[in-house]
Amino acid sequence: MMKTGRHFNIVERIATRLKLKQLRLLVAIAENASILHAATSLNISQPAATKLLKDLEEDFGVKLFERSNRGAIPTKYGEALTRHGKLILSQISQAAQELDDLAEGTGGRVVVGTLLAASAHLLPAAVEMLRKERPNVSIVIKEGTNDLLIPALLTGDIDIVVGRLPEIRFRKDVLQEPLFEEQVSIIARKEHPLTQMHKIRHADLLDWDWILPPRETTMRRQLEEEFLKMELSPPVDGVESVSLLTNKRIISRTDMLTVLPYHVIAEDVERGTLVSLPFKFKTVRGPVGISYRRNATLSPAAAAFADKLREIALLIQQETI
């Protein structure tokens, strides 16, 4: 398709006039919805920030923010430039980190997004192993669900995401590396009445309150689909939570049920504080793995961490951890 002269003008202006200070300001305004707060975060005056933004809008010939009672709200042009600006700043940060890695040998920083499936053994063991080899590396761990972590991955706020691999809606922008298939179990306290049953049916599970993962998670969708295929209504969440500590505490004190990857609670089952009920799902399963930005290069620290995740995943498969 023929590109317009306007397109070439914008490309030329970006290549010759765009400054990192302007990009930082643009991202800060979008995050704070305020020129004043953005200026404060960058340690510049509000008039200086206003002039930088005005120069940017004049250079591109578009309005980047609208003023409203909600603050400074990005226009469609502002949203597009902010999205790319965050990636550019992230890449610059990674370049600086890589130089530090090369200079220090064992330094660097890696930001890891994690889901529940990775939080029990895989992630802690990989952290321990990496820190032994690279004691100066800094590891930042952000916990959440894929609907929060993957967008942060795409903007460069997170280097890699570890846990249940997201479904196809993210696949064109994300590279996925499966590590192992997780076994999902229904968990209850050891005194739960269902522990006395030798065979549990789907219908038996509907007599109890549940702690369930959020509706936007793959595990929740698979759980609901399995019950629907049995022509049963899915369990209703009395509590919706992805907090492992909170969920285990509630389960141990009540007759509520929850669904968790087995290796997440294996030690609790071995100690006898929790029980994995004698029930096997037909469709609630999925690979645990690593998600990366497609066409992006990992920093040396992030690449080393990914290697440790692969090593630990192999041990988990061999049931030696």
Side-chain angles (χ1 to χ4, degrees):
M1 184 172 70
M2 183 73 69
K3 296 186 182 294
T4 65
R6 176 181 174 81
H7 169 83
F8 285 119
N9 286 337
I10 291 179
V11 170
E12 181 183 357
R13 289 169 184 170
I14 289 177
T16 59
R17 302 186 192 181
L18 185 61
K19 302 178 180 66
L20 286 180
K21 183 182 289 187
Q22 290 174 315
L23 272 186
R24 292 192 183 97
L25 176 65
L26 182 79
V27 171
I29 294 174
E31 290 178 343
N32 290 277
S34 165
I35 295 176
L36 175 60
H37 292 160
T40 302
S41 70
L42 297 177
N43 200 28
I44 61 176
S45 68
Q46 183 175 0
T50 301
K51 185 178 187 307
L52 279 173
L53 177 59
K54 182 180 178 182
D55 290 345
L56 193 60
E57 291 180 327
E58 288 180 352
D59 282 343
F60 289 165
V62 295
K63 192 170 185 63
L64 298 173
F65 290 91
E66 296 282 1
R67 302 288 186 92
S68 75
N69 56 4
R70 294 179 295 158
I73 307 302
T75 64
K76 63 180 181 180
Y77 304 107
E79 288 178 351
L81 191 55
T82 298
R83 185 173 66 254
H84 290 289
K86 291 187 73 172
L87 281 172
I88 291 169
L89 293 175
S90 174
Q91 290 296 319
I92 291 172
S93 176
Q94 287 189 13
Q97 177 189 318
E98 188 163 343
L99 293 178
D100 285 342
D101 287 353
L102 292 172
E104 298 177 12
T106 59
R109 181 175 184 267
V110 54
V111 182
V112 184
T114 178
L115 294 98
L116 185 62
S119 61
H121 292 302
L122 178 62
L123 189 61
V127 169
E128 181 183 1
M129 187 179 290
L130 182 66
R131 290 280 300 171
K132 284 181 180 178
E133 291 187 9
R134 301 168 70 102
N136 295 324
V137 74
S138 173
I139 303 171
V140 179
I141 298 172
K142 298 185 177 183
E143 191 174 39
T145 54
N146 271 323
D147 64 307
L148 299 176
L149 297 177
I150 296 299
L153 175 72
L154 296 177
T155 59
D157 292 330
I158 290 175
D159 296 313
I160 60 177
V161 174
V162 187
R164 253 186 172 233
L165 296 178
E167 294 176 317
I168 58 173
R169 66 185 186 279
F170 296 117
R171 198 149 300 167
K172 70 182 183 68
D173 301 311
V174 174
L175 186 64
Q176 299 177 339
E177 179 185 344
L179 295 177
F180 59 88
E181 191 87 6
E182 67 178 359
Q183 175 188 344
V184 178
S185 300
I186 297 179
I187 307 304
R189 67 187 184 101
K190 63 179 180 179
E191 300 88 358
H192 198 287
L194 285 177
T195 60
Q196 306 303 312
M197 298 178 64
H198 297 293
K199 184 177 182 180
I200 298 174
R201 302 167 302 164
H202 287 77
D204 298 324
L205 300 170
L206 298 176
D207 294 331
W208 307 95
D209 290 333
W210 282 70
I211 304 174
L212 293 175
R215 294 183 183 278
E216 60 270 15
T217 61
T218 301
M219 186 182 294
R220 177 68 174 269
R221 285 191 290 270
Q222 289 179 342
L223 180 69
E224 291 179 346
E225 287 170 4
E226 173 143 340
F227 278 85
L228 290 172
K229 287 179 180 177
M230 301 296 295
E231 298 184 352
L232 295 169
S233 298
V236 177
D237 53 346
V239 176
E240 183 177 288
S241 167
V242 292
S243 170
L244 180 59
L245 182 61
T246 300
N247 293 359
K248 290 200 299 184
R249 193 65 176 268
I250 294 173
I251 290 298
S252 66
R253 291 169 174 261
T254 70
D255 279 337
M256 295 185 77
L257 303 174
T258 193
V259 56
L260 288 171
Y262 179 76
H263 66 269
V264 169
I265 45 82
E267 292 181 1
D268 299 277
V269 173
E270 290 172 6
R271 288 195 298 266
T273 56
L274 295 175
V275 173
S276 175
L277 295 178
F279 177 90
K280 289 195 177 296
F281 287 110
K282 298 177 181 178
T283 59
V284 185
R285 61 172 63 90
V288 172
I290 310 172
S291 297
Y292 316 87
R293 288 192 305 280
R294 192 177 292 277
N295 301 322
T297 302
L298 291 178
S299 69
F305 190 73
D307 285 340
K308 300 310 172 192
L309 290 168
R310 296 182 188 103
E311 291 181 40
I312 299 302
L314 183 60
L315 295 176
I316 288 176
Q317 286 179 301
Q318 297 170 345
E319 298 182 347
T320 59
I321 185 170

